[in-house]
Each structure stands twice: as structure tokens, then as C-alpha cells.
């Protein structure tokens, strides 16, 4: 048998590709799969990692220069959330720092009594009053810090709640074309995932920053009182420690940036292992082992990174302490010289040692908190900037209210191009729809866009007008217009509410219902049998995410969605392929009920469908192609034209006949 080299021969190592092209065997290593290289390089930066590690790139001067503005901004947020609690935090924090300074001074007084001349018992008894003063200052400081914590606990949740409510209110109401913008989506998720999270944390961090700064100022003030020459010694002893703290903090942020990229991959694999939608295929492919292996490899890399950071931090800390030890030694030598020269009493020298040790600890804390505040403030700024942008993207809140009923909707030469696109989705569309009519949009692209313009969800971006009873929709309040339109989409939202609330939500309520209207809508849509078969019926929770929740099929959800649109009882009803997931019998029943059995003389019904058999009875059919209307008329008129509609209808009908013959 010949295996000659004709044009149709298949060479070993190749398989036929499209149009006779040959597809070579794939490589032995799976592209994009596990590999030994740097796995951080093949992931684009995620929306939630834009500012991670920013503090490691900033200079000390940049951090210090930005901190006052950050503190002012957080202060304004706190002031607007709870003025009383904000004032309490400031006053109590200042008082706490004062108690720390007074406590150091009282400690010096205790040491003065202990180092005085005389028998030891007498010196101890003489120090007891001053010791009680120290205890009093420490106790007062503890109470003040508890007061700071209480006031902070009052103001922090209010800031988070106010920001979150405002964020969700703004994002839930931006114009629909804004939501279609991928960049806006990234900004929205980043603000929600990071901005709101750090907005809750940053108040406490700013308070800690203020506490550390005031503590450092307090210790410096104590040393200045003891002897002005001690202030340079403070710098000599604490600057090496501070430099080591800066290096350690930067190493930690650099490490976090690397760790974060690895963690992103871990999240992907964890999601696949846990996600319910992936569970069946994961098990049928027996793919658990492969995913677990990759998950283990990545978590091992993260553990190695943690170990590297720990070892590096230990080395930096050791170096800082070594250099700081030299500085401290010089400081203590200078203190000794001052004591010998009689410049400083022995008790004051001991108090200076205590102050310097406290300053070293406070400075380390100040450096760490400063870096965190600097980085986290970027997320909060990002959140606030995003909210400001959303305020400019809100729909019209003024103008005429949309009419309760509409006799005619007219589109005149309407064009619309989506943001970021060059080709218009609609190009010069004109039509008039009348109350009591059922119209259909079929065939090519532009159908859903046109329907959303009718509903007031989009505005004509590139010219033309949409008028309700002669009034331009741009002169109407946008939300009142949207309230007059019921939309049923191909992939409806599966609200995790009760069956009844899944209907009433179309009228903006989860707690109030019109029982008869709900029952009529369920009957007309075919959802009556679905709800009747649920435990609890109308009260049944339609989500498996909750205990006792029920699972519906795609076809059952479609019926519930149609019932939701009917329950709204709006003057305009848009059905955007709502029966695509139903079987033919259920689809036929829905159309019979909605389009034929329940005529609504005051309602305009628009049906979008690819199944032309469902639009035969419509009063008018518009055929779309590349954003234009190419044909319009009744079914009989369009069949008589023998154009695109007739061709598509004949083709689909032939397919149904062939399928029926094969079944028979």
C-alpha cells in the first residue's frame, strides 16, 4: 500500500488542519504549564497588586514627605465619620504620650532617691512616693490607651461603612456603557478588594504612627530636660537601629511583591479545586492530582521565600544591632564622661539610658508603621479617586419623570459605538413602536444594543434621538425611565433570594409583594409548576450556597426570569432570547402565554430571538445586519420579499423537518 507524497497524504508527526494545512505534533512540555523558570514572569499584573511593594521603591524622604498629607486625609475621613470619637482619639493619644514622658521623668526621680547618700532602707523608703507616682503615670497611660482603643473602635467601622456604602451606591448606578469598559471594571474591583480593606486598617495604623512619633518626641524631650547634650547622643544610638529597620522593612515589602505573584497562581489552583462549577469535570478528568502537585510546588516556593525573608531580616537586624551597639557604646562612654565630669547626676544618667532604650524601640516601630501607612494610603487614595470618577458617570438625576404609560417610542437615525470600539454597534437605526404591538428583532448584530437604547440603558452616543411620546429620553430622569422597562435576558441573574423575592426584585423590593400579580406572572411564564415543586414554594431559597437552598436548572431559571419581567408590569417589555435554555415545548408554552394568551394593549413587547419560528405571530419584525435594519414587516411580508429573513426561516424550517424525519 502506497504512502506516497500526494497533496492529501498525511506525513508522520502531523495531523490535518483546516483547509488542508498540517498541524505538527505539540511539544512534550505543555505551554503555560508547570516549568522550572521564574513563574512570576508570565502573569500580567493583577488589578489588586498595582501598589503592592510601592513602599520598597520609595526613598525615606518620599515617605516622610507624604505622611503629613496622608494623616490629614485620614483625619478628614475620621472627622466626617464621627467627630466626637476623632477628637477623643487625638486628645487621648496626646495625653498618653505625655504620661509616657512624665513616667520617664518620675523614673529619674526614683533613681535619684535610690542613688542618694544614706542607708539602703532609708533610700528605698524615700523612693516609694516617687515609685507610686511612676505607677500612677503608667496606670493613667494604660487607661488612656484603652480610651484610644475604644474611640478608634467607634470611628473605624463608621469610616469603612460610609466608604463601602458610598462605593456600592456609586458603582451600582453608573451608566451601563461604563460597566462595559474593562478598565473601569479593573478599577472597581481594585477599589473594592483593596481600597475598602485598607481603609479599615489605615485608621489604626495612623494612630500607631502618631503614638510612635509622640513617644519619640517625648523621650527626646526628657533627654533635653536632663541635659541638652544628650540629644546628639540619642541620634547616635538610634539612627543605626532606624537604618536597620528601614532596610528590613524594604526587604519585607520586596519579598511580599515576589510572594504576591506566586500567591496569585496558588489562588487560581485553589479556586479550581474548590469551585463547584469545576467539580464535575475535575473528577471526570481525574485532574486533582495534577492540580494538587502544582499547588504544592507553588506553596513550597512561597515557604522558601518566607524562609529567605526570615534569614535576611535576621541578618539585617543583627547588622543594625551591631552598628547600633557601637553607637550605644559610644553613647554610654559619653554618658560616663559626663558623669565623671560632673555634668550629669548619676540618676539622670540612668534615666537617660532608659530613655535611649525606649527611643530605639519606638523608632523601629515608627519606621515599620510609616512604610505600611505609605503603601496602604495609596489604596485608600485609589478608592477615593475611583469614587470621584464614578460621581461623574452617574445617570441623569434631573429632568422629566418618564410617563406611566407610553403610546409610541420613536428612534430616529440612532447610532451607537461602544467605548474602545471603532465599528458602530448601531448605524442609522430608525423605527417607531406602538403600544399594544409585539415586535421582534432578529438575525444579525445590533439587536440587544437597540433594545437597551429603547430601555434608556444606553444613550445615543453618535447621533440620533430616542423619543417616548415625542419627548427626548435625554430630557427624562434616567432611573425613572429604566423603571418603566421590564428586561428578561438570555442569561438572567440568579438572585440568592426566595422564589417570591426573585419576582418582586424587579420592582425594587424584597419585602413587599402583590400576591395576585406574582401568581399571574408565574402562570404566564410557566414558573408556576417550578415554584409549586419546591419545598416551601414561594418561600424556597433559590441558592445552594445557603443551608436549605434549592437548585434550579437553566430552563427553570429562565421561567423565573420571565415571571420577574412580567411581574414588573412595565409599559415596555424586552425579551432578549429568554427561552434559549428551554426545551422546544417549554419555549412554545412561554411564547404562547406571553405573546398570545396575555395581550397587553398598553404595553410594547420586544422579542429578540434567533429562532424565527417564535416570531411568526409578531406584529412587526425587524431584520438586523451589522448594526443596520435591512428588512422590516410582518412574517408574511418578509417571506414575500424573499430576502434574508425568508432565506433564514426556510433554512431553519428545513432543519426542523429533517430532524423530525430522522426521529421518525
Amino acid at each position: 500500500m502506497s504512502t506516497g507524497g500526494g497533496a492529501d497524504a498525511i506525513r508522520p508527526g502531523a495531523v490535518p488542519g483546516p483547509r488542508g494545512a498540517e498541524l505538527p505534533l505539540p511539544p512534550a512540555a505543555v505551554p503555560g504549564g508547570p516549568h522550572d523558570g521564574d513563574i512570576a514572569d508570565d502573569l500580567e499584573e493583577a488589578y489588586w497588586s498595582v501598589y503592592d511593594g510601592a513602599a520598597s521603591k520609595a526613598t525615606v524622604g518620599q515617605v516622610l514627605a507624604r505622611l503629613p498629607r496622608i494623616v490629614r486625609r485620614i483625619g478628614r475621613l475620621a472627622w466626617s465619620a464621627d467627630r466626637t470619637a476623632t477628637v477623643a482619639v487625638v486628645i487621648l493619644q496626646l495625653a498618653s504620650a505625655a504620661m509616657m514622658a512624665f513616667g520617664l521623668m518620675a523614673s529619674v526621680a526614683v533613681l535619684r532617691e535610690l542613688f542618694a547618700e544614706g542607708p539602703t532602707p532609708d533610700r528605698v523608703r524615700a523612693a516609694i512616693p516617687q515609685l507610686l507616682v511612676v505607677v500612677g503615670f503608667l496606670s493613667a497611660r494604660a487607661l488612656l490607651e484603652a480610651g484610644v482603643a475604644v474611640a478608634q473602635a467607634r470611628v473605624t467601622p463608621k469610616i469603612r461603612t460610609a466608604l463601602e456604602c458610598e462605593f456600592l451606591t456609586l458603582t451600582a448606578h453608573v451608566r451601563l456603557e461604563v460597566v462595559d469598559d474593562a478598565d473601569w471594571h479593573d478599577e472597581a474591583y481594585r477599589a473594592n478588594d483593596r481600597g475598602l480593606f485598607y481603609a479599615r486598617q489605615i485608621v489604626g495604623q495612623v494612630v500607631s504612627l502618631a503614638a510612635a512619633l509622640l513617644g519619640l518626641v517625648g523621650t527626646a524631650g526628657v533627654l533635653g530636660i536632663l541635659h541638652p547634650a544628650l540629644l546628639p547622643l540619642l541620634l547616635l544610638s538610634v539612627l543605626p537601629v532606624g537604618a536597620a529597620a528601614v532596610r528590613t522593612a524594604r526587604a519585607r515589602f520586596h519579598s511580599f511583591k515576589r510572594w504576591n505573584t506566586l500567591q496569585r497562581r496558588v489562588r487560581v489552583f485553589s479556586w479550581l479545586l474548590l469551585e463547584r462549577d469545576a467539580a464535575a469535570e475535575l473528577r471526570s478528568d481525574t485532574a486533582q492530582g495534577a492540580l494538587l502537585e502544582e499547588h504544592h510546588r507553588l506553596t513550597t516556593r512561597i515557604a522558601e521565600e518566607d524562609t529567605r525573608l526570615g534569614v535576611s531580616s535576621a541578618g539585617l537586624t543583627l547588622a543594625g544591632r551591631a552598628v547600633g551597639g557601637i553607637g550605644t557604646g559610644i553613647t554610654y562612654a559619653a554618658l560616663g564622661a559626663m558623669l565623671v565630669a560632673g555634668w550629669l547626676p548619676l540618676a539622670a544618667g540612668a534615666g537617660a539610658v532608659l530613655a535611649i532604650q525606649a527611643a530605639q524601640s519606638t523608632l523601629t516601630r515608627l519606621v515599620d508603621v510609616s512604610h505600611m501607612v505609605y503603601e496602604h494610603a495609596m489604596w485608600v487614595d485609589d478608592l477615593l479617586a475611583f469614587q470621584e470618577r464614578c460621581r461623574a458617570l452617574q445617570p441623569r438625576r434631573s429632568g422629566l419623570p418618564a410617563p406611566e404609560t407610553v403610546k409610541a417610542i420613536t428612534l430616529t437615525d440612532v447610532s451607537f459605538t461602544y467605548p474602545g470600539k471603532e465599528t458602530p454597534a448601531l448605524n442609522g437605526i430608525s423605527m417607531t413602536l406602538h403600544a399594544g404591538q409585539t415586535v421582534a428583532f432578529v438575525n444579525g448584530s445590533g439587536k440587544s444594543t437597540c433594545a437597551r437604547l429603547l430601555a434608556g440603558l444606553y444613550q445615543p452616543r453618535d447621533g440620533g434621538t430616542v423619543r417616548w411620546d415625542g419627548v427626548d429620553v435625554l430630557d427624562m430622569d434616567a432611573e425613572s425611565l429604566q423603571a418603566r422597562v421590564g428586561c428578561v435576558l438570555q442569561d438572567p441573574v440568579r438572585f440568592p433570594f426566595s422564589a417570591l423575592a426573585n419576582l418582586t426584585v424587579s420592582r425594587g423590593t424584597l419585602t413587599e409583594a402583590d400576591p395576585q400579580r406574582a401568581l399571574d406572572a408565574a402562570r404566564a411564564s410557566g414558573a408556576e409548576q417550578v415554584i409549586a415543586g419546591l419545598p416551601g414554594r414561594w418561600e424556597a431559597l433559590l441558592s445552594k450556597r445557603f443551608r436549605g437552598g434549592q437548585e434550579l436548572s437553566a430552563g427553570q431559571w429562565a421561567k423565573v426570569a420571565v415571571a420577574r419581567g412580567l411581574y414588573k408590569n412595565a409599559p415596555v417589555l424586552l425579551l432578549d432570547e429568554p427561552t434559549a435554555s428551554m426545551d422546544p415545548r417549554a419555549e412554545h408554552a412561554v411564547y404562547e402565554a406571553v405573546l398570545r394568551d396575555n395581550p397587553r394593549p398598553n404595553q410594547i413587547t420586544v422579542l429578540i430571538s434567533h429562532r424565527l419560528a417564535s416570531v411568526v405571530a409578531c406584529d412587526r419584525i425587524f431584520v438586523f445586519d451589522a448594526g443596520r435594519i435591512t428588512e422590516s414587516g410582518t412574517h408574511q411580508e418578509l417571506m414575500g420579499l424573499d430576502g434574508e429573513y425568508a432565506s433564514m426561516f426556510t433554512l431553519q424550517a428545513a432543519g426542523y423537518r429533517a430532524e423530525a424525519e430522522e426521529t421518525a
Side-chain angles (χ1 to χ4, degrees):
M1 181 177 176
S2 173
T3 58
D8 296 328
I10 301 175
R11 293 197 303 270
V15 294
R19 299 187 181 181
E22 292 183 352
L23 180 67
L25 285 174
V30 180
H35 51 83
D36 295 330
D38 184 0
I39 64 175
D41 291 339
D42 60 352
L43 282 175
E44 292 184 2
E45 188 171 43
Y47 67 83
W48 40 262
S49 66
V50 172
Y51 299 121
D52 289 339
S56 63
K57 305 170 188 174
T59 65
V60 175
Q62 289 173 328
V63 173
L64 294 178
R66 198 164 185 266
L67 285 179
R69 189 175 70 85
I70 294 171
V71 172
R72 286 196 301 271
R73 188 152 204 176
I74 301 304
R76 284 195 295 268
L77 288 174
W79 181 258
S80 62
D82 190 326
R83 295 186 179 185
T84 303
T86 302
V87 171
V89 168
V90 173
I91 293 176
L92 294 176
Q93 193 65 72
L94 287 170
S96 175
M99 292 303 104
M100 178 182 177
F102 292 154
L104 279 175
M105 292 299 297
S107 298
V108 173
V110 171
L111 293 172
R112 186 180 296 113
E113 295 295 340
L114 291 177
F115 292 153
E117 296 181 355
T120 299
D122 293 342
R123 284 182 288 164
V124 172
R125 282 192 293 271
I128 288 176
Q130 294 297 330
L131 188 60
L132 293 175
V133 173
V134 172
V135 172
F137 281 133
L138 292 177
S139 300
R141 184 186 179 196
L143 290 173
L144 291 168
E145 289 181 345
V148 170
V150 170
Q152 182 182 329
R154 284 183 55 191
V155 72
T156 299
K158 291 180 180 179
I159 292 176
R160 167 67 187 240
T161 300
L163 286 174
E164 186 168 10
C165 289
E166 185 176 19
F167 170 81
L168 292 175
T169 299
L170 290 170
T171 54
H173 289 88
V174 295
R175 299 190 301 271
L176 184 60
E177 68 266 22
V178 177
V179 182
D180 293 329
D181 185 353
D183 291 338
W184 183 89
H185 259 291
D186 271 357
E187 292 179 19
Y189 280 105
R190 187 173 68 230
N192 179 61
D193 189 30
R194 293 286 172 159
L196 290 175
F197 175 76
Y198 288 122
R200 185 182 184 90
Q201 290 191 339
I202 199 168
V203 177
Q205 292 170 349
V206 168
V207 171
S208 298
L209 178 68
L213 183 60
L214 290 172
L216 192 61
V217 171
T219 54
V222 170
L223 288 174
I225 292 173
L226 293 177
H227 199 290
L230 292 174
L231 290 176
L233 295 180
L234 174 65
L235 294 177
L236 185 62
S237 61
V238 301
L239 284 182
V241 176
V246 170
R247 294 290 299 275
T248 302
R250 293 193 173 201
R252 182 166 58 250
F253 278 106
H254 274 302
S255 177
F256 179 75
K257 184 73 172 179
R258 290 189 293 269
W259 172 89
N260 210 14
T261 306
L262 294 171
Q263 188 65 29
R264 290 167 59 198
R265 275 191 177 256
V266 172
R267 289 186 184 185
V268 172
F269 288 101
S270 298
W271 175 81
L272 287 171
L273 290 166
L274 294 172
E275 179 60 31
R276 180 173 176 270
D277 292 341
E281 189 166 349
L282 187 70
R283 285 157 178 77
S284 66
D285 290 342
T286 62
Q288 303 99 317
L291 269 64
L292 288 168
E293 180 182 355
E294 181 68 357
H295 183 277
H296 179 264
R297 189 175 73 87
L298 293 171
T299 51
T300 301
R301 289 282 300 274
I302 291 173
E304 292 172 353
E305 178 66 21
D306 286 341
T307 301
R308 190 203 62 76
L309 174 62
V311 172
S312 174
S313 297
L316 287 170
T317 302
L318 177 61
R321 288 184 175 179
V323 177
I326 296 173
T328 302
I330 296 173
T331 299
Y332 290 161
L335 279 173
M338 292 173 68
L339 291 170
V340 171
W343 293 3
L344 195 68
L346 182 60
V353 172
L354 293 176
I356 289 172
Q357 290 176 343
Q360 289 176 336
S361 175
T362 302
L363 182 62
T364 301
R365 175 62 179 161
L366 180 65
V367 170
D368 282 342
V369 177
S370 297
H371 276 74
M372 285 192 293
V373 169
Y374 177 86
E375 182 152 315
H376 295 172
M378 290 186 171
W379 295 108
V380 178
D381 284 347
D382 187 69
L383 167 66
L384 297 175
F386 175 76
Q387 289 183 332
E388 193 61 34
R389 179 187 174 192
C390 286
R391 289 188 186 95
L393 299 173
Q394 298 296 296
R396 298 178 308 281
R397 301 299 177 105
S398 60
L400 300 171
E404 294 288 340
T405 60
V406 59
K407 295 179 180 179
I409 299 178
T410 303
L411 279 70
T412 306
D413 199 24
V414 171
S415 297
F416 182 89
T417 304
Y418 284 98
K421 301 291 185 180
E422 296 182 359
T423 303
L426 289 180
N427 192 354
I429 296 293
S430 296
M431 65 173 66
T432 299
L433 311 180
H434 297 281
Q437 275 190 335
T438 298
V439 301
F441 296 167
V442 301
N443 202 23
S445 62
K447 304 182 297 296
S448 295
T449 304
C450 184
R452 294 183 180 191
L453 279 160
L454 286 171
L457 297 173
Y458 290 157
Q459 299 177 6
R461 291 172 55 90
D462 305 315
T465 59
V466 179
R467 299 180 182 276
W468 282 40
D469 289 340
V471 179
D472 195 324
V473 295
L474 296 180
D475 296 329
M476 298 182 187
D477 176 81
E479 289 196 0
S480 73
L481 181 67
Q482 293 158 13
R484 305 292 186 261
V485 182
C487 289
V488 184
L489 305 180
Q490 179 178 348
D491 188 16
V493 177
R494 302 182 178 188
F495 290 107
F497 307 147
S498 69
L500 181 58
N502 261 277
L503 272 61
T504 64
V505 70
S506 66
R507 295 185 68 87
T509 179
L510 302 179
T511 57
E512 298 178 5
D514 183 329
Q516 189 60 51
R517 178 187 288 176
L519 181 59
D520 292 343
R523 284 175 176 170
S525 67
E528 181 183 17
Q529 296 302 316
V530 175
I531 297 173
L534 296 173
R537 298 188 176 183
W538 289 107
E539 289 77 24
L541 183 62
L542 303 187
S543 175
K544 273 292 192 180
R545 296 179 184 272
F546 299 93
R547 187 180 295 110
Q550 303 300 310
E551 182 73 26
L552 299 185
S553 68
Q556 290 173 324
W557 269 115
K559 294 177 181 179
V560 171
V562 173
R564 183 159 61 229
L566 296 177
Y567 180 86
K568 190 172 184 179
N569 196 28
V572 179
L573 176 63
L574 301 180
L575 303 171
D576 192 347
E577 299 196 68
T579 60
S581 57
M582 295 185 188
D583 61 80
R585 180 174 297 177
E587 178 186 39
H588 178 74
V590 168
Y591 285 135
E592 285 289 328
V594 174
L595 303 181
R596 298 181 181 87
D597 297 344
N598 293 277
R600 294 172 174 82
N602 295 322
Q603 187 177 70
I604 298 173
T605 303
V606 179
L607 172 63
I608 300 174
S609 180
H610 284 96
R611 299 176 184 175
L612 301 186
S614 61
V615 306
V616 171
C618 289
D619 299 306
R620 193 167 185 82
I621 301 169
F622 293 91
V623 182
F624 282 75
D625 183 28
R628 295 178 178 273
I629 296 176
T630 56
E631 301 174 12
S632 67
T634 64
H635 170 72
Q636 291 78 10
E637 291 170 347
L638 293 175
M639 292 299 292
L641 288 176
D642 198 24
E644 181 66 20
Y645 176 86
S647 175
M648 292 298 298
F649 187 88
T650 303
L651 182 63
Q652 290 186 14
Y656 289 138
R657 285 195 295 269
E659 183 178 347
E661 291 171 359
E662 290 177 3
T663 303

